[in-house]
Amino acid sequence: MTDASSGLVLRKATVRLGGRLVLDALSFHLTESRIGILGRNGSGKTTLLRLLAGLIAPDDGTVRVDGVDPFKNRKATLSALGILFQNPDHQILFPTVEEELAFGLAQQGIPQPEALKRAHDLLSVEGRRAWAKAPVSTLSQGQRHYLCLLSVLLMQPRTILLDEPLAGLDLPTQARLARRFAALPQRLITITHDPAVLADADRVLWLDSGAIAADGPPAQVIPAFTAEMARIGELDADADLAG
Amino acid sequence: MERNLTHIALFAALIAILGLIPKIDLAGGVPITAQSLGIMLCGTVLGAKRGALAVLLFLALVAAGLPLLSGGRGGIGVFASPSVGYLVGFPIAAFVIGWLMERTTLAAGPAATLASIIGGIGILSIFGILGMGLMLEKSLPEAAFLAGAFLPGDLIKTVIAGFVTQGLARMRPASLLSRA
Amino acid sequence: MLTLTSPVETWAHPLPAGLKLAFLAVATTGLFALKTPLPLGLACAATALAYLGCGKIFATTGLRLLWPLWPFVVIVGLWHIWIASPATGATIILRMIAAVGLANFVTMTTRLSDMLAVFQWLARPLRPLGLSPRRLALACALVVRFIPVMLERFGQISQSWSARSSRRPGWRALVPVTLAALDDADRAAEALRARGGAG
C-alpha cells in the first residue's frame, strides 16, 4: 500500500510562479483508483495537475509517478500518465482525427503506418470509423472532447488526469462521458471545483491556497467543502485585489 | 524546446489569419490589409530568430499550396511573380525588426514602430525593388517608383505595429519575448 | 483547410511532386534565358495547352489564379508603349505569365502533403541546425490546425467588441488576438509535452 514505486507521490513539493507561492510543500501518496482534487479557482489545482503531469518541475521537493520523475523522464511518463485538458482546443494538435490519434503512439516509438492502423482500429471499435479523415474543426465540442479521450486512451497510460472533465458540456454529453470514465480500468485523478462530480470517488483532497485543507472519503470532505463554499459565497470578499 | 516550436507555428498561423480577415478600417475609413502587420509583429513580439522562422514557416506553407497570402494568393506561382522580392524580404525584415527590438532600450511602442520602419519598410522595400527590377527588367529607380505606391499604407502599418506592441507590453509585459 | 490543389484529377496529378518541381525549376530558368517575344509566346501557348488538356473547369481556375498579375501587365504594357519598345514589353509580360502559369500548374496538380514531403526531404541538410523533418512536419500541422481556431477567436473578439461599441474594432482587436496566439502557443507546448514532446 505504501510502496513508493506505485501511484503518485509528492514529498514537500513546492511551486512558485512569478515569485508567488502557489503550492506550499505538498506531501501525499495517491494509490486509489478514483481520486478527486477539489478546490476553488486560484487554489492551485491546475498548477498541481501540471506538476503531477511533469509539465513543470517543483521548485522544492520531489514528484514521483510510479517511481519515475515525470518532469525529467518524459519517455517513461508517457505510458504511466495521460492528461485530458479542460479545453479540447488546447489539446488537439493536428488538423485531422487520424493524425491526432496517431501522434501519441508515434511518440512512444511506434512507426507511423502502425500508429495510423491502431488509430483506425480504435475508431472502428468505437463505431466512429468515419471520423478518420475528418478535419477536427468539423467536430462538435462533445466530439472533440471524445477525440481527446481516445487519443489519451490509445497511449494506454496507467493513470489519467482529468481537468474539469465535464465543464461546459451539455447534459447528454456529460452523461455519456461520465459513463465512459466510470468504465475505464485506469486510475483517474479528477481535478474540479464541482463537488458533485466526485460523489463516487474513493478519496478526495481539498486544496486551498496551495495546501491540503482536507483529505479523506467524499462523504467526509465534500460536506465540509460545500459548507465552506456557501459561507464564503455569503461574504462580499471579492473586492480585494491580491498583493 | 516545445515552446519555441509552438510559438513559431502559432505566429505563422497569426500571419495567415491576418491575411484572411476582412481588411481593417482605419479611423478615416481607409482599408488596409493586415498581413504585413503580422510580419512586423513576428519581429516585435518573438524577436529576431523565432520571428524569422515563423515567417519562413508561413512562406513554406504558402509555397506548398495554401492560399494564405492576402487576397487568397498562394502556391509556387507567387514566387515567380514580380512581387517575389517582398516574399524573400519578409523573413529578413522580421529578423531585422526582432534584432532591433532586442537591442534598443526605447519603450516598447516607439521601439516597435522604429524597428518596423527600418525593417518593414527599409529592408523590405530594398528586396521588393530588387525583385521587381529583376523580374520586370526595370532599372532600380523605375522599380522604386512602383514600390513607392505601397509607402503610405506601410507607414500607417508601422504605427499600428507600435500601438499593438505597446498594448501587449501594457496588458502583459512578459508577452514580449523579444524583450525577455 | 482549403488548398489550391485542383479537385479535378488530371494527368499531372499522379506524377511525383519532386519531378514536377525539378521540371519547373529547369523550365523557369529556361524562360529567363529567352530574350524575344516569339519563343516566350510559344511557351505561353504550351502552358495554355497543358491547362486546356486538363479540362475547361481546370483551365478557368488556372486563369483566375493569374488575375493578380494584371496591375503588372498594365503598368509594364503602358510603360513600354510609352517608350516605344513594345517587343521588350511583350517579352517581359509573356515571360511573367508563362513562369507564373507553369508554377501554378504544378501547385494545382500536387497535393499539399506531397509538396510538404518534398520540402521535408529538401530540408534534410538542415538537420544539424535543429530542423529535423519531423519537427518541420509537426510545425506545419500545428499551423494548419490553429488557423481555423484563431479565425474563430478573432470573430469572437470582434463580436464582443461590437457588443459594447458602435465602432468597428479595427486594429485594437489585434492585441487580444496576439495575446491569444501566445496563450495558444503555451498550451499547445504543454499538450505536446504531455504526449511526448517535439523530439
Side-chain angles (χ1 to χ4, degrees):
Chain A
M1 180 69 202
T2 49
D3 177 12
S5 67
S6 88
L8 284 76
V9 185
L10 256 64
R11 275 200 207 94
K12 293 199 177 299
T14 300
V15 175
R16 290 182 198 87
L17 293 177
R20 203 167 57 87
L21 190 63
V22 180
L23 294 179
D24 186 6
L26 288 187
S27 298
F28 54 68
H29 186 178
L30 306 178
T31 52
E32 293 77 4
S33 164
R34 295 288 182 266
I35 298 158
I37 293 176
L38 193 57
R40 299 179 63 195
N41 299 335
S43 60
K45 56 186 194 304
T46 303
T47 306
L48 178 57
L49 169 117
R50 295 165 73 212
L51 183 72
L52 288 172
L55 298 176
I56 53 174
D59 292 299
D60 275 310
T62 56
V63 181
R64 290 290 177 272
V65 174
D66 295 343
V68 167
D69 180 337
F71 184 78
K72 293 218 176 85
N73 193 342
R74 294 302 304 160
K75 204 114 211 163
T77 306
L78 288 184
S79 50
L81 190 138
I83 318 171
L84 203 60
F85 290 93
Q86 178 177 355
N87 186 339
D89 278 332
H90 297 155
Q91 170 160 0
I92 300 175
L93 299 168
F94 290 87
T96 64
V97 170
E98 58 177 8
E99 285 176 282
E100 176 66 18
L101 289 173
F103 173 71
L105 292 174
Q107 294 292 76
Q108 288 177 318
I110 293 162
Q112 184 72 7
E114 168 68 16
L116 279 173
K117 190 187 162 297
R118 286 200 207 173
H120 289 183
D121 289 350
L122 179 67
L123 285 173
S124 298
V125 170
E126 300 280 335
R128 286 170 173 78
R129 189 196 288 273
W131 283 21
K133 303 268 181 205
V136 289
S137 50
T138 61
L139 300 182
S140 73
Q141 174 85 0
Q143 288 172 330
R144 288 206 292 271
H145 261 278
Y146 203 85
L147 170 62
C148 289
L149 177 62
L150 290 185
S151 56
V152 169
L153 289 179
L154 209 49
M155 295 175 77
Q156 300 181 307
R158 292 183 289 279
T159 299
I160 300 177
L161 298 175
L162 308 171
D163 185 10
E164 301 283 6
L166 303 179
L169 296 172
D170 62 20
L171 292 173
T173 311
Q174 281 195 18
R176 230 173 304 160
L177 265 183
R179 204 165 56 234
R180 191 64 214 267
F181 288 143
L184 291 177
Q186 276 91 348
R187 174 185 299 127
L188 297 185
I189 301 181
T190 306
I191 300 209
T192 180
H193 68 277
D194 179 9
V197 178
L198 301 177
D200 297 326
D202 300 316
R203 175 179 174 187
V204 176
L205 292 87
W206 168 8
L207 194 66
D208 186 55
S209 307
I212 303 288
D215 180 357
Q220 182 186 327
V221 177
I222 288 177
F225 177 83
T226 312
E228 175 67 5
M229 292 308 112
R231 190 188 68 79
I232 296 172
E234 294 291 311
L235 304 174
D236 188 18
D238 230 15
D240 297 331
L241 288 174
Chain B
M1 189 60 246
E2 287 88 6
R3 272 188 93 224
N4 277 338
L5 183 94
T6 55
H7 274 115
I8 289 164
L10 269 287
F11 269 68
L14 182 68
I15 306 172
I17 69 152
L18 290 182
L20 294 171
I21 59 175
K23 291 178 177 168
I24 291 181
D25 279 336
L26 294 174
V30 187
I32 56 161
T33 59
Q35 192 143 55
S36 50
L37 250 176
I39 308 285
M40 295 174 191
L41 289 176
C42 280
T44 65
V45 177
L46 293 186
K49 203 174 148 201
R50 275 173 295 193
L53 286 172
V55 178
L56 277 174
L57 178 59
F58 168 75
L59 289 179
L61 285 163
V62 167
L66 292 180
L68 298 177
L69 283 175
S70 55
R73 290 169 304 137
I76 325 167
V78 298
F79 292 88
S81 91
S83 41
V84 59
Y86 288 98
L87 302 182
V88 174
F90 274 169
I92 297 158
F95 187 90
V96 170
I97 294 170
W99 190 86
L100 289 168
M101 268 314 267
E102 287 163 8
R103 274 159 190 79
T104 73
T105 49
L106 287 173
T113 295
L114 209 63
S116 299
I117 290 176
I118 296 171
I121 294 186
I123 303 282
L124 192 60
S125 298
I126 292 175
F127 280 92
I129 290 167
L130 284 175
M132 286 198 287
L134 219 64
M135 302 297 279
L136 301 177
E137 296 186 16
K138 292 284 158 289
S139 71
L140 293 184
E142 288 164 353
F145 183 73
L146 283 179
F150 299 113
L151 200 58
D154 286 345
L155 268 173
I156 295 170
K157 283 177 215 177
T158 61
V159 176
I160 298 179
F163 280 137
V164 174
T165 309
Q166 181 84 51
L168 291 172
R170 278 176 47 198
M171 273 177 82
R172 202 191 302 163
S175 65
L176 293 188
L177 304 174
S178 59
R179 289 286 174 94
Chain C
M1 171 118 268
L2 226 59
T3 75
L4 294 169
T5 313
S6 170
V8 184
E9 273 296 318
T10 70
W11 57 270
H13 273 77
L15 298 176
L19 188 75
K20 280 183 272 192
L21 283 172
F23 167 77
L24 181 65
V26 173
T28 309
T29 315
L31 286 175
F32 276 86
L34 299 174
K35 302 288 183 199
T36 49
L38 188 64
L40 282 165
L42 289 175
C44 273
T47 310
L49 275 179
Y51 275 94
L52 287 170
C54 297
K56 206 172 146 198
I57 303 171
F58 184 91
T60 318
T61 315
L63 211 54
R64 208 167 43 237
L65 284 179
L66 285 176
W67 183 244
L69 292 178
W70 76 262
F72 296 109
V73 172
V74 170
I75 290 169
V76 173
L78 289 177
W79 174 258
H80 282 274
I81 290 170
W82 173 255
I83 63 168
S85 62
T88 316
T91 306
I92 296 168
I93 292 172
L94 289 171
R95 181 193 296 139
M96 177 171 76
I97 291 174
V100 176
L102 270 181
N104 285 344
F105 185 81
V106 173
T107 296
M108 285 176 70
T109 58
T110 310
R111 268 192 307 274
L112 181 72
S113 52
D114 295 343
M115 200 69 92
L116 288 173
V118 176
F119 290 179
Q120 283 173 40
W121 182 80
L122 288 173
R124 279 185 320 171
L126 300 176
R127 193 193 284 268
L129 298 175
L131 185 80
S132 70
R134 243 184 58 73
R135 224 172 261 171
L136 182 62
L138 186 55
C140 287
L142 278 171
V143 179
V144 176
R145 153 79 183 128
F146 275 95
I147 285 172
V149 175
M150 287 172 70
L151 267 179
E152 199 184 314
R153 180 89 38 80
F154 182 84
Q156 283 164 359
I157 288 169
S158 301
Q159 269 175 24
S160 56
W161 178 284
S162 302
R164 291 190 287 162
S165 165
S166 60
R167 308 227 323 259
R168 300 246 330 255
W171 64 267
R172 281 178 192 83
L174 294 184
V175 176
V177 167
T178 310
L179 278 179
L182 287 163
D183 288 341
D184 282 342
D186 283 341
R187 286 170 191 139
E190 281 194 343
L192 201 51
R193 196 170 156 72
R195 290 199 285 158

